[in-house]
């Protein structure tokens, strides 16, 4: 069982930066692929970025490529999402997900979800 707690959200102006953190409990964190999803009002939940259990493989949605960076520190049981050059369309609740599966072309979410952290980008 893995419990996930996100932090780092907030209000920022367009062009600014935020760093989200997702702290995981449980000894098996280092064995899990980890993702960040986001959900904006009236929109479906979408994957933003993903990282393999070893950190060797990453994935980014086209909309955030070159602006967001996912990383992890297995010693601290934490995954991060550095968000730069933020845009108003990045406004959403950002959720950490654990246990995702990568079949080589698609990342499917795992069973573990955090409660989410709100990111609001003003124009």
């Amino acid at each position: 069982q893995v419990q996930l707690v996100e932090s780092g959200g907030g209000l920022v102006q367009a062009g600014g930066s935020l760093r989200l953190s997702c702290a995981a409990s449980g000894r098996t964190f280092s064995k899990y692929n980890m993702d960040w999803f986001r959900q904006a009002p009236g929109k479906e939940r979408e994957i933003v970025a993903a990282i393999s259990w070893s950190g060797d493989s990453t994935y980014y949605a086209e909309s955030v490529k070159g602006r967001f960076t996912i990383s992890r520190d297995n010693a601290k049981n934490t995954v991060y999402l550095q968000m730069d050059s933020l845009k108003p369309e990045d406004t959403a609740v950002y959720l950490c997900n654990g246990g995702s599966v990568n079949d080589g072309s698609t990342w499917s979410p795992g069973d573990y979800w955090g409660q989410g952290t709100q990111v609001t980008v003003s124009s």
Side-chain angles (χ1 to χ4, degrees):
Q1 189 76 9
V2 176
Q3 292 185 327
L4 305 172
V5 179
E6 302 96 334
S7 61
L11 173 63
V12 64
Q13 287 188 331
S17 298
L18 283 174
R19 188 194 196 202
L20 305 184
S21 298
C22 173
S25 64
R27 301 177 187 176
T28 57
F29 170 80
S30 62
K31 298 181 181 179
Y32 289 110
N33 297 332
M34 298 294 296
D35 306 333
W36 284 97
F37 281 74
R38 68 185 179 187
Q39 187 160 21
K43 294 187 177 181
E44 292 189 357
R45 187 174 294 182
E46 62 175 352
I47 189 168
V48 175
I51 188 166
S52 63
W53 63 272
S54 64
D56 290 344
S57 178
T58 57
Y59 164 85
Y60 296 94
E62 284 297 325
S63 58
V64 306
K65 270 185 184 178
R67 301 188 297 120
F68 290 11
T69 304
I70 190 170
S71 62
R72 67 189 297 161
D73 186 337
N74 286 343
K76 295 182 178 180
N77 278 13
T78 302
V79 63
Y80 305 98
L81 185 68
Q82 177 67 42
M83 305 187 296
D84 299 317
S85 302
L86 282 161
K87 304 176 181 179
E89 50 264 44
D90 294 319
T91 295
V93 174
Y94 283 71
L95 302 109
C96 182
N97 173 261
S100 55
V101 176
N102 178 19
D103 67 2
S105 60
T106 304
W107 288 79
S108 301
D111 293 332
Y112 306 111
W113 292 93
Q115 83 288 351
T117 186
Q118 177 71 45
V119 171
T120 303
V121 184
S122 63
S123 57

